[in-house]
Amino acid sequence: MLRLTKSCACALLALAALLGTPARATNNDPVVLVHGVLGFGPESHPLGSFLYWGGYGNIAAHLTVYHGPHTVFTAQVGAIASNWDRAAELYAQIKGGCVDYGAHHVARYGYPGQAQKPAGKCWAADPANNPENYPLAFYPQWDAAHPVHMIGHSQGGTTIRALVQLLEHGSPDGDEGGGELYKGGKVGWIRSVVTISAPHDGTTLRDAVVDVLPNLRSPLRDILDNELAHWELAPDGAREFNRWALTSPSVYYFSVGTLATEAGAWCCNGTDRVLAPVQNVQFQYPRADMIPYFKLFAGEWIVGSLAQPGMGSYTQNAPGRVRIDSAWFPNDGVVNTVSMRAPSGHPVRDYDGKAVKGTWNFLGNYRGYDHFDILNWPNNGPSADPIYERISDIIFGL
């Protein structure tokens, strides 16, 4: 039944893509893919042939030829860096030049020993003038007349939002030491933003797992909690981030949700019965086809802990913090599905075939896809290619 459900979903996706395909593309702007936390670039995985975007397949290559040719770039940014730092790295990779994290920003928020301009983190805008033999920038002509589409998975989505904010409004502290990114005024440089399984309102994975050993402290944990990505990826940190990273009226926004848990039942709901033989109808449990490691955290309890609630049952209502209730229980093993739709307080609508600028056009939740199924990582179930084909049809039709 589970495989049938997912197969039907793919068939419906393919039909929707066919019916929604424009007669011809109205733009052919380049696409930039941005990975999530702990992600890696196309040449940096130790297995060599394994890609973040596609596993042993290649989503970038598929997007290049689907109703193409199109130009698709795959970025590599900090694996556990903040959204701001990752945005600075994205800017240099696309436009060219050396990474500049900003003088005021590093002084106020940087981790111990962080350099404002790290040595060697540069991309050449002009291949004929590249004495240091830096890698070439993706798209040096990038500006309002030559915009790009950006697709981000997981934290890649929030990183792109930080980049839009910096491009258009610059640093809230004003001059950051002369860096072009922080001057603002770059409206229209990004035509569209697509976020896939993004923690717009954070994820309770961080809170639930950290709470397993609440009294264990270390300098590294302090950095991760307060300075780097793990803070912004928690609901409380995401709330602060959402107050700064605005939804631009000049950009088309789209979001995709994933869901790989089911409500508890006495039998036959497609969940992993070995991990959860007895289930409560109030809570969520990992589907049998979820990537095994994330099943440990996705359900009612964190497997192996002493009665610690997992993402499928974790709640909290402490004063001053983001309230976590049952709406947060459904998840894809890493991010709560409710968080993927749009940032709280920002405009959002269900996509109806017509894209609207300055609001989040929600493309729906894809049931049965966990956080990495959506990247075509090896696992049971169908390909995610029809989802990317649908995205391609939409963004190139803008």
Side-chain angles (χ1 to χ4, degrees):
M1 178 62 71
L2 175 61
R3 182 173 294 275
L4 177 62
T5 300
K6 293 178 76 174
S7 298
C8 289
C10 269
L12 290 173
L13 276 172
L15 179 60
L18 180 62
L19 294 176
T21 301
R24 62 181 179 84
T26 56
N27 76 85
N28 199 17
D29 300 320
V31 175
V32 181
L33 304 178
V34 185
H35 65 72
V37 67
L38 298 180
F40 46 90
E43 299 176 356
S44 62
H45 193 275
L47 296 180
S49 61
F50 191 92
L51 299 176
Y52 184 90
W53 293 93
Y56 292 109
N58 192 327
I59 289 171
H62 184 67
L63 288 173
T64 299
V65 300
Y66 175 74
H67 293 169
H70 303 298
T71 300
V72 181
F73 301 109
T74 304
Q76 179 175 351
V77 293
I80 58 168
S82 68
N83 287 315
W84 177 297
D85 288 0
R86 286 160 56 99
E89 295 169 9
L90 262 181
Y91 180 78
Q93 282 182 59
I94 301 170
K95 185 67 175 173
C98 296
V99 172
D100 181 349
Y101 297 123
H104 291 295
H105 183 79
V106 170
R108 183 176 299 180
Y109 302 107
Y111 57 83
Q114 183 178 17
Q116 177 189 344
K117 300 178 181 180
K121 230 173 191 178
C122 303
W123 286 262
D126 182 0
N129 183 21
N130 187 15
E132 301 295 334
N133 199 30
Y134 291 132
L136 299 181
F138 293 159
Y139 197 51
Q141 62 267 49
W142 184 31
D143 59 18
H146 304 88
V148 298
H149 301 287
M150 304 199 77
I151 301 175
H153 172 252
S154 194
Q155 193 196 359
T158 52
T159 297
I160 294 168
R161 290 176 50 209
L163 179 60
V164 172
Q165 180 69 20
L166 289 170
L167 286 170
E168 296 194 357
H169 300 282
S171 169
D173 292 322
D175 180 53
E176 288 280 358
E180 282 296 321
L181 173 60
Y182 305 114
K183 296 178 181 179
K186 301 174 181 62
V187 177
W189 286 39
I190 296 178
R191 185 186 294 271
S192 74
V193 171
V194 181
T195 65
I196 300 171
S197 311
H200 292 298
D201 289 330
T203 169
T204 61
L205 174 63
R206 179 266 185 199
D207 280 358
V209 173
V210 167
D211 284 350
V212 172
L213 295 173
N215 298 316
L216 178 64
R217 306 306 310 178
S218 70
L220 176 59
R221 173 167 166 168
D222 289 340
I223 292 172
L224 294 179
D225 281 356
N226 300 304
E227 303 294 344
L228 299 182
H230 290 243
W231 169 246
E232 291 179 321
L233 300 184
D236 297 327
R239 177 175 59 184
E240 297 305 311
F241 177 75
N242 291 340
R243 291 170 177 166
W244 171 71
L246 306 177
T247 295
S248 168
S250 302
V251 177
Y252 290 102
Y253 292 87
F254 304 91
S255 57
V256 171
T258 44
L259 174 61
T261 59
E262 297 289 347
W266 70 274
C267 91
C268 315
N269 60 351
T271 62
D272 189 325
R273 287 283 163 175
V274 174
L275 288 181
V278 178
Q279 299 182 1
N280 186 320
V281 296
Q282 299 179 43
F283 303 133
Q284 292 276 315
Y285 299 87
R287 295 173 68 115
D289 63 345
M290 181 185 286
I291 289 179
Y293 178 75
F294 296 103
K295 294 179 184 180
L296 304 178
F297 314 106
E300 180 181 2
W301 307 107
I302 294 180
V303 177
S305 70
L306 298 176
Q308 171 64 30
M311 295 177 69
S313 71
Y314 178 82
T315 61
Q316 72 82 24
N317 194 25
R321 299 190 62 192
V322 173
R323 182 173 183 267
I324 305 298
D325 58 19
S326 60
W328 290 75
F329 293 169
N331 66 85
D332 68 356
V334 176
V335 176
N336 312 80
T337 302
V338 70
S339 183
M340 303 174 189
R341 177 178 170 88
S344 288
H346 293 222
V348 61
R349 62 190 289 273
D350 291 331
Y351 180 69
D352 58 4
K354 180 180 179 181
V356 178
K357 274 187 181 180
T359 190
W360 286 87
N361 299 272
F362 180 55
L363 301 182
N365 292 321
Y366 288 92
R367 196 177 198 92
Y369 289 85
D370 69 33
H371 201 67
F372 297 100
D373 287 337
I374 200 69
L375 296 171
N376 279 338
W377 285 23
N379 197 28
N380 294 330
S383 169
D385 284 350
I387 299 172
Y388 291 94
E389 291 168 1
R390 182 188 182 199
I391 291 169
S392 179
D393 288 335
I394 291 172
I395 64 176
F396 291 118
L398 295 174

